[in-house]
Amino acid sequence: ILCVATVVCTLTVNPMCAYALSRYNIKNKYAILMFFIATMAFPSMVLMIPNFILLKELNLLNTYWALILPGMASGYYIFMMKGFFDSLPRELYEAAAIDGANEFQIFTQITLPLIKPIMAVKGLAAFTAAYSGFMWAFIICQDPKMWTISVYLYQFQLDSPQHLVMASLVLASLPLLLTFIFCQKLILRGIIIPVMK
């Protein structure tokens, strides 16, 4: 549930924000972009205390929202996706508008299929962060029912034989490996096909 919800929320918020910044002449657009770039200067450890206090005030501790919301939007990926959107020819948008497509149709049926490689990269990063997240889940989720697999593995290795710990680590890494293999095909297809054309 956590991994699917994280990937869906991430692949909804970041592309929509980047599309709006690329498509429209928003006031103070460059100040917004500089703000997104500035968020990359702070490591995630610095943000844990204010995020924890905010989620505690909102009574969201020990919930899925506490695990999803802080990492849902990424300044790095918004900035990168905006570059992808800027590289698309404006004639595509004009032709779609002439054919009667509304803005949502232009975004979902024209723009998103053209940025599948970057969507696959972001989806893989979101899945990996949700699946293997340890420190944030360890801090905000005191309820064992809300632990991620990394927190479970940490607790498991404290009082288990070493061979069982190694076996559990191998089993826990299989979903990440399969997800990477699946996304790798999308990424390579997005890179190779334009070069061949």
Side-chain angles (χ1 to χ4, degrees), residues 80-111:
M80 189 163 54
M81 284 184 180
K82 182 190 178 299
F84 270 73
F85 288 133
D86 288 344
S87 67
L88 298 178
R90 295 291 172 185
E91 290 79 10
L92 285 174
Y93 301 129
E94 295 171 2
I98 291 171
D99 288 340
N102 58 31
E103 200 64 45
F104 183 74
Q105 291 173 325
I106 293 173
F107 176 67
T108 56
Q109 298 176 12
I110 296 174
T111 309

Short mmCIF file of all heavy atoms in Angstrom, two decimals, residues 80-111:
data_model
loop_
_atom_site.label_atom_id
_atom_site.label_comp_id
_atom_site.label_asym_id
_atom_site.label_seq_id
_atom_site.Cartn_x
_atom_site.Cartn_y
_atom_site.Cartn_z
N MET A 80 13.92 18.93 -13.25
CA MET A 80 14.32 18.08 -14.36
C MET A 80 13.17 17.85 -15.33
O MET A 80 13.34 17.91 -16.56
CB MET A 80 14.85 16.75 -13.85
CG MET A 80 15.49 15.89 -14.92
SD MET A 80 16.53 14.58 -14.26
CE MET A 80 15.44 13.75 -13.16
N MET A 81 11.97 17.60 -14.80
CA MET A 81 10.81 17.40 -15.68
C MET A 81 10.45 18.67 -16.44
O MET A 81 9.99 18.60 -17.58
CB MET A 81 9.61 16.93 -14.86
CG MET A 81 9.68 15.49 -14.44
SD MET A 81 8.18 14.99 -13.56
CE MET A 81 8.57 13.29 -13.22
N LYS A 82 10.65 19.81 -15.81
CA LYS A 82 10.39 21.08 -16.51
C LYS A 82 11.30 21.18 -17.73
O LYS A 82 10.88 21.65 -18.79
CB LYS A 82 10.60 22.27 -15.59
CG LYS A 82 10.30 23.60 -16.27
CD LYS A 82 10.72 24.76 -15.43
CE LYS A 82 10.45 26.07 -16.15
NZ LYS A 82 11.17 26.21 -17.43
N GLY A 83 12.55 20.74 -17.60
CA GLY A 83 13.44 20.74 -18.76
C GLY A 83 12.94 19.84 -19.86
O GLY A 83 13.04 20.18 -21.05
N PHE A 84 12.38 18.68 -19.51
CA PHE A 84 11.80 17.79 -20.51
C PHE A 84 10.61 18.45 -21.18
O PHE A 84 10.46 18.37 -22.40
CB PHE A 84 11.37 16.48 -19.86
CG PHE A 84 12.44 15.42 -19.85
CD1 PHE A 84 13.53 15.52 -18.99
CD2 PHE A 84 12.37 14.33 -20.69
CE1 PHE A 84 14.51 14.56 -18.97
CE2 PHE A 84 13.36 13.36 -20.68
CZ PHE A 84 14.44 13.48 -19.82
N PHE A 85 9.73 19.07 -20.40
CA PHE A 85 8.56 19.74 -20.96
C PHE A 85 8.97 20.90 -21.87
O PHE A 85 8.34 21.14 -22.90
CB PHE A 85 7.63 20.23 -19.86
CG PHE A 85 6.89 19.14 -19.15
CD1 PHE A 85 6.83 19.11 -17.77
CD2 PHE A 85 6.25 18.14 -19.84
CE1 PHE A 85 6.15 18.12 -17.10
CE2 PHE A 85 5.56 17.13 -19.19
CZ PHE A 85 5.51 17.12 -17.82
N ASP A 86 10.01 21.63 -21.48
CA ASP A 86 10.47 22.76 -22.29
C ASP A 86 11.01 22.30 -23.64
O ASP A 86 10.97 23.05 -24.62
CB ASP A 86 11.55 23.55 -21.55
CG ASP A 86 10.99 24.35 -20.38
OD1 ASP A 86 9.76 24.55 -20.34
OD2 ASP A 86 11.78 24.76 -19.51
N SER A 87 11.54 21.08 -23.69
CA SER A 87 12.12 20.58 -24.94
C SER A 87 11.07 20.10 -25.93
O SER A 87 11.38 19.90 -27.11
CB SER A 87 13.10 19.44 -24.65
OG SER A 87 12.40 18.30 -24.15
N LEU A 88 9.81 19.94 -25.49
CA LEU A 88 8.76 19.49 -26.41
C LEU A 88 8.35 20.65 -27.32
O LEU A 88 8.24 21.79 -26.86
CB LEU A 88 7.55 18.99 -25.62
CG LEU A 88 7.78 17.78 -24.72
CD1 LEU A 88 6.50 17.44 -23.96
CD2 LEU A 88 8.25 16.58 -25.52
N PRO A 89 8.11 20.38 -28.59
CA PRO A 89 7.73 21.47 -29.51
C PRO A 89 6.37 22.05 -29.16
O PRO A 89 5.42 21.32 -28.87
CB PRO A 89 7.72 20.80 -30.89
CG PRO A 89 7.63 19.35 -30.62
CD PRO A 89 8.25 19.10 -29.28
N ARG A 90 6.26 23.36 -29.23
CA ARG A 90 4.99 24.03 -28.93
C ARG A 90 3.92 23.72 -29.95
O ARG A 90 2.72 23.87 -29.69
CB ARG A 90 5.23 25.55 -28.88
CG ARG A 90 6.13 25.99 -27.74
CD ARG A 90 5.46 25.80 -26.42
NE ARG A 90 6.38 26.03 -25.30
CZ ARG A 90 6.05 25.84 -24.04
NH1 ARG A 90 4.85 25.41 -23.74
NH2 ARG A 90 6.92 26.04 -23.08
N GLU A 91 4.33 23.30 -31.15
CA GLU A 91 3.35 22.98 -32.19
C GLU A 91 2.43 21.83 -31.77
O GLU A 91 1.29 21.73 -32.21
CB GLU A 91 4.07 22.61 -33.49
CG GLU A 91 4.75 23.77 -34.18
CD GLU A 91 6.09 24.14 -33.55
OE1 GLU A 91 6.57 23.35 -32.69
OE2 GLU A 91 6.64 25.20 -33.90
N LEU A 92 2.95 20.92 -30.92
CA LEU A 92 2.11 19.83 -30.43
C LEU A 92 0.93 20.36 -29.63
O LEU A 92 -0.21 19.92 -29.82
CB LEU A 92 2.94 18.89 -29.54
CG LEU A 92 3.92 17.95 -30.21
CD1 LEU A 92 4.74 17.22 -29.16
CD2 LEU A 92 3.19 16.95 -31.08
N TYR A 93 1.19 21.31 -28.75
CA TYR A 93 0.13 21.89 -27.95
C TYR A 93 -0.86 22.66 -28.83
O TYR A 93 -2.07 22.58 -28.64
CB TYR A 93 0.71 22.82 -26.89
CG TYR A 93 1.68 22.17 -25.94
CD1 TYR A 93 2.93 22.71 -25.70
CD2 TYR A 93 1.34 20.99 -25.26
CE1 TYR A 93 3.82 22.11 -24.81
CE2 TYR A 93 2.22 20.39 -24.38
CZ TYR A 93 3.46 20.95 -24.17
OH TYR A 93 4.33 20.35 -23.30
N GLU A 94 -0.32 23.40 -29.80
CA GLU A 94 -1.19 24.17 -30.69
C GLU A 94 -2.07 23.26 -31.54
O GLU A 94 -3.27 23.52 -31.71
CB GLU A 94 -0.34 25.08 -31.58
CG GLU A 94 0.42 26.16 -30.82
CD GLU A 94 1.41 26.90 -31.68
OE1 GLU A 94 1.48 26.60 -32.89
OE2 GLU A 94 2.13 27.77 -31.14
N ALA A 95 -1.50 22.18 -32.06
CA ALA A 95 -2.28 21.24 -32.86
C ALA A 95 -3.37 20.57 -32.03
O ALA A 95 -4.51 20.39 -32.49
CB ALA A 95 -1.37 20.18 -33.48
N ALA A 96 -3.02 20.22 -30.79
CA ALA A 96 -4.02 19.59 -29.92
C ALA A 96 -5.14 20.57 -29.59
O ALA A 96 -6.32 20.18 -29.54
CB ALA A 96 -3.36 19.09 -28.65
N ALA A 97 -4.80 21.82 -29.35
CA ALA A 97 -5.82 22.82 -29.05
C ALA A 97 -6.73 23.05 -30.24
O ALA A 97 -7.95 23.21 -30.09
CB ALA A 97 -5.15 24.13 -28.61
N ILE A 98 -6.15 23.06 -31.45
CA ILE A 98 -6.96 23.24 -32.66
C ILE A 98 -7.92 22.06 -32.84
O ILE A 98 -9.06 22.23 -33.27
CB ILE A 98 -6.05 23.41 -33.90
CG1 ILE A 98 -5.32 24.75 -33.82
CG2 ILE A 98 -6.85 23.29 -35.19
CD1 ILE A 98 -4.26 24.93 -34.87
N ASP A 99 -7.46 20.86 -32.49
CA ASP A 99 -8.31 19.67 -32.61
C ASP A 99 -9.36 19.59 -31.51
O ASP A 99 -10.17 18.66 -31.51
CB ASP A 99 -7.45 18.40 -32.56
CG ASP A 99 -6.65 18.22 -33.83
OD1 ASP A 99 -7.03 18.81 -34.85
OD2 ASP A 99 -5.64 17.48 -33.80
N GLY A 100 -9.35 20.52 -30.57
CA GLY A 100 -10.39 20.58 -29.55
C GLY A 100 -10.05 19.93 -28.24
O GLY A 100 -10.93 19.72 -27.40
N ALA A 101 -8.78 19.59 -28.03
CA ALA A 101 -8.39 18.96 -26.77
C ALA A 101 -8.32 20.00 -25.66
O ALA A 101 -7.83 21.11 -25.87
CB ALA A 101 -7.03 18.27 -26.92
N ASN A 102 -8.82 19.64 -24.50
CA ASN A 102 -8.70 20.55 -23.36
C ASN A 102 -7.33 20.35 -22.71
O ASN A 102 -6.56 19.48 -23.11
CB ASN A 102 -9.84 20.34 -22.35
CG ASN A 102 -9.90 18.93 -21.82
OD1 ASN A 102 -8.89 18.25 -21.70
ND2 ASN A 102 -11.10 18.48 -21.50
N GLU A 103 -7.05 21.14 -21.68
CA GLU A 103 -5.72 21.12 -21.07
C GLU A 103 -5.40 19.78 -20.42
O GLU A 103 -4.27 19.30 -20.49
CB GLU A 103 -5.61 22.24 -20.04
CG GLU A 103 -4.19 22.63 -19.71
CD GLU A 103 -3.45 23.21 -20.91
OE1 GLU A 103 -4.02 24.05 -21.62
OE2 GLU A 103 -2.29 22.81 -21.12
N PHE A 104 -6.40 19.15 -19.80
CA PHE A 104 -6.17 17.86 -19.17
C PHE A 104 -5.85 16.79 -20.21
O PHE A 104 -4.98 15.95 -20.00
CB PHE A 104 -7.40 17.45 -18.34
CG PHE A 104 -7.22 16.17 -17.59
CD1 PHE A 104 -6.42 16.12 -16.46
CD2 PHE A 104 -7.84 15.00 -18.03
CE1 PHE A 104 -6.25 14.94 -15.76
CE2 PHE A 104 -7.67 13.82 -17.34
CZ PHE A 104 -6.88 13.77 -16.20
N GLN A 105 -6.53 16.82 -21.34
CA GLN A 105 -6.24 15.87 -22.42
C GLN A 105 -4.86 16.10 -23.02
O GLN A 105 -4.14 15.14 -23.33
CB GLN A 105 -7.30 15.96 -23.51
CG GLN A 105 -8.66 15.45 -23.09
CD GLN A 105 -9.73 15.72 -24.13
OE1 GLN A 105 -9.70 16.74 -24.81
NE2 GLN A 105 -10.69 14.81 -24.23
N ILE A 106 -4.47 17.35 -23.16
CA ILE A 106 -3.13 17.66 -23.67
C ILE A 106 -2.07 17.11 -22.72
O ILE A 106 -1.07 16.52 -23.15
CB ILE A 106 -2.96 19.18 -23.87
CG1 ILE A 106 -3.88 19.68 -24.98
CG2 ILE A 106 -1.51 19.53 -24.17
CD1 ILE A 106 -3.90 21.18 -25.13
N PHE A 107 -2.32 17.27 -21.43
CA PHE A 107 -1.35 16.81 -20.44
C PHE A 107 -1.26 15.29 -20.39
O PHE A 107 -0.16 14.72 -20.40
CB PHE A 107 -1.73 17.37 -19.05
CG PHE A 107 -0.86 16.90 -17.94
CD1 PHE A 107 0.47 17.28 -17.86
CD2 PHE A 107 -1.37 16.06 -16.95
CE1 PHE A 107 1.28 16.84 -16.83
CE2 PHE A 107 -0.57 15.62 -15.91
CZ PHE A 107 0.75 16.00 -15.86
N THR A 108 -2.41 14.62 -20.35
CA THR A 108 -2.41 13.16 -20.16
C THR A 108 -2.17 12.38 -21.44
O THR A 108 -1.52 11.32 -21.40
CB THR A 108 -3.73 12.71 -19.52
OG1 THR A 108 -4.83 13.14 -20.34
CG2 THR A 108 -3.88 13.28 -18.12
N GLN A 109 -2.66 12.85 -22.57
CA GLN A 109 -2.61 12.06 -23.81
C GLN A 109 -1.45 12.44 -24.72
O GLN A 109 -1.08 11.65 -25.59
CB GLN A 109 -3.93 12.18 -24.57
CG GLN A 109 -5.11 11.64 -23.78
CD GLN A 109 -6.43 11.84 -24.50
OE1 GLN A 109 -6.48 12.17 -25.67
NE2 GLN A 109 -7.53 11.66 -23.77
N ILE A 110 -0.91 13.62 -24.56
CA ILE A 110 0.18 14.05 -25.44
C ILE A 110 1.49 14.19 -24.68
O ILE A 110 2.52 13.63 -25.07
CB ILE A 110 -0.18 15.39 -26.14
CG1 ILE A 110 -1.39 15.18 -27.05
CG2 ILE A 110 1.00 15.93 -26.92
CD1 ILE A 110 -1.93 16.43 -27.65
N THR A 111 1.45 14.93 -23.57
CA THR A 111 2.68 15.26 -22.87
C THR A 111 3.25 14.08 -22.08
O THR A 111 4.43 13.76 -22.21
CB THR A 111 2.45 16.45 -21.93
OG1 THR A 111 1.82 17.50 -22.67
CG2 THR A 111 3.76 16.95 -21.38
#
